[in-house]
Every structure is written in structure tokens, then in C-alpha cells.
Amino acid sequence: MGGTSEFEQVRSEPDPIRRGRRATELITLYQQRAAELARLRKEAIEEAHRKGLSYTEIAELLGITKGRISQIKSGAPPAERAFFGVGPVAVGIPRRDTETGATDFDASDRAARQLVEKLLARLSLASSRYEIAPDAEEVPAGDTVVICDPGSAPVAQELLAADEALSLEKADGEWCLVDKATGRRYSSPAAGGSGVDIGFLGRHEEDGRVIVQIAGVTSAGSHGVAHWLDSEVSALYEPAVRSVSAIVESDIDADRAITDSRAVAGPFTTRD
């Protein structure tokens, strides 16, 4: 459905609450599209310059001033914004239902989500939150970050099963990640009481949207992957790469805070 018809539908909506809610949704959507267009324009200017055009020539061809070129270069969102898609981005963590029927969320999952939300804000991406039910098998529509260890919901296992370089296995009751090319298995030291954990980062494009998966072997491992992604996203993003995955190891202190993180397998990429 085109933007004009959506706009006209909002104008003609008789119910004020539905009209206001939809107007808010479209404002966010259009703001995200505007930010992406600014990023694309900056990227086009830099590509034209790499191909030999001076910034003065580019300004003339675009019908703007050279000063405006400088403003675009410094003010537009960075290229790695596209790692997460166009936005807005839904960020999910698993809901953990207790025996009493209450709903709870793991502290490490919450910390991972908060770190991802800060990263998205830095990249001029709006975000929203959603809960991953214990029986969830699918992710919501649109650009999405799924923060979920494999034992918390089937969706984590389903997404990882589609990765070309890495796989997930369960041996002796414990999850481990496997490098398909070498057969090497990576299990979680945290299961034995160590202050180290591992996790999976995956990113792929599907039906015009981006799904980023963060899946620790435990929730602390998910926080570690988010910590690594926060510092490495600019290095991970390449326009021609359609999928990327890695196994990340992280150090955890006594308060379950992440003190360091690093890739121990990958990143593995698939290009156009």
C-alpha cells in the first residue's frame, strides 16, 4: 500500500483513537525513511567521490552547494545503520513465566536489550519492545532484533538452524554451537561455574527486512554478544553482505556484568 493511500486513510478515519494511533505509527515510519534516505544520499556522495569526482563536481551535479555536501557528510546517519535495516526496529527478549503465573524477565536479557536500544538510538533508529513467549516460533513483521537463548523459546533454535556457517546442537543436556566447516564445538564454560560464556550473532535479510539474532547459550551469553556487537557493528556492516554470523565469547564478573567480549569463530558472511 502506498504512502499516499495510507495518508488519506488516516485523514478519513472516523475514530479519533484509531486515527491518532495510526498517525503516530506513520510519523515514526516516515521519520525512519527520511533518516535512511539521508544515509543513502551520504553513501552515494562518498561513492561518487571514490570514483573520481571532486566534491565541487558532485555538488554541481546534485544542484546543491559544496557547503551542503559537507553538512550531509557530517550530519547523516552512519553507513552501519543499515545493519539493522530501515527501522523502526522491534527488540524482543524472552518472557519467563513463573510457577505462580507471574511474568518475569532475566536481568541479563534486560541488560542486552538496553544495550541494543542504545546502539539503535546512536544509529538514528527508532525501536520498540516485544515479549518472546516460551512457545514462540516466529518473529514479528518488520526489522527485528531477537535476543533469546535457545532454551527459552523455539524461535531461537529455528532462526539459528537457517544459518549456513554455524549450527546448534544439544549434547549431555547442554547446548553448544558448532562450526560446520571444521566441526569444532563451542560449549558454554559458564555451565561449569566459569566467568566466561558464549553466544551467537546472526544477521540476515528476509522478504525485504532484516532479522538480527542474539542467542547466548545462557542469558549472560546474550548480553556478551550485545556487548561485542555494540563495538563491532561498523566493522560488520558491508552493503554487499546479505548475512553474517559469529560465535562470541564474553567475560562476566561476579555481578554478571560483561567486562570483555570477542569473536572466537567468524564472522562468516554471505554476499550477493
Side-chain angles (χ1 to χ4, degrees):
M1 183 178 293
T4 301
S5 59
E6 288 179 331
F7 178 74
E8 293 302 332
Q9 280 192 339
V10 172
R11 294 186 67 189
S12 61
E13 170 58 56
D15 184 276
I17 299 302
R18 285 199 296 266
R19 186 168 66 249
R21 184 183 296 119
R22 186 56 179 153
T24 299
E25 291 172 351
L26 288 181
I27 287 171
T28 301
L29 181 65
Y30 294 161
Q31 287 173 337
Q32 294 294 277
R33 296 301 186 267
E36 177 63 7
L37 287 170
R39 185 195 71 82
L40 289 170
R41 181 171 59 176
K42 175 185 177 181
E43 184 178 73
I45 290 170
E46 292 175 341
E47 181 181 349
H49 184 61
R50 289 194 301 270
K51 290 182 176 180
L53 290 176
S54 70
Y55 288 121
T56 299
E57 291 171 324
I58 295 170
E60 291 175 353
L61 290 169
L62 294 183
I64 57 180
T65 66
K66 187 177 178 181
R68 182 63 181 135
I69 291 284
S70 298
Q71 291 174 342
I72 291 169
K73 287 174 58 186
S74 63
E80 59 266 26
R81 179 184 196 273
F83 185 86
F84 294 97
V86 176
V89 181
V91 183
I93 61 173
R95 184 183 75 229
R96 303 179 187 274
D97 298 334
T98 66
E99 293 181 357
T100 62
T103 297
D104 193 17
F105 297 93
D106 184 272
S108 292
D109 287 332
R110 293 198 303 269
R113 179 177 62 189
Q114 185 177 34
L115 191 53
V116 169
E117 288 172 339
K118 287 182 178 179
L119 172 57
L120 293 172
R122 192 168 78 235
L123 298 176
S124 301
L125 284 160
S127 64
S128 61
R129 295 179 173 183
Y130 73 97
E131 300 177 2
I132 301 173
D135 60 351
E137 297 181 358
E138 298 181 354
V139 297
D143 298 325
T144 308
V145 178
V146 180
I147 303 172
C148 186
D149 60 89
S152 294
V155 65
Q157 302 168 38
E158 293 292 332
L159 288 174
L160 211 155
D163 191 79
E164 296 182 5
L166 303 169
S167 63
L168 179 71
E169 296 182 5
K170 197 170 189 179
D172 300 324
E174 299 292 339
W175 292 106
C176 65
L177 293 162
V178 182
D179 183 333
K180 292 181 180 179
T182 65
R184 181 173 176 179
R185 303 162 69 89
Y186 296 82
S187 56
S188 172
S194 170
V196 179
D197 205 355
I198 62 167
F200 168 85
L201 172 72
R203 185 261 190 198
H204 70 276
E205 298 181 14
E206 175 185 291
D207 299 328
R209 63 168 176 159
V210 171
I211 299 174
V212 174
Q213 181 184 13
I214 292 174
V217 172
T218 72
S219 60
S222 294
H223 188 193
V225 174
H227 180 275
W228 183 75
L229 177 60
D230 183 54
S231 62
E232 296 295 326
V233 64
S234 61
L236 289 170
Y237 173 69
E238 293 183 50
V241 170
R242 289 294 165 260
S243 67
V244 59
S245 59
I247 298 176
V248 176
E249 184 180 73
S250 53
D251 299 326
I252 311 162
D253 67 16
D255 296 321
R256 291 179 66 79
I258 304 299
T259 59
D260 195 15
S261 56
R262 59 214 156 258
V264 293
F268 305 99
T269 58
T270 301
R271 301 173 183 273
D272 285 337

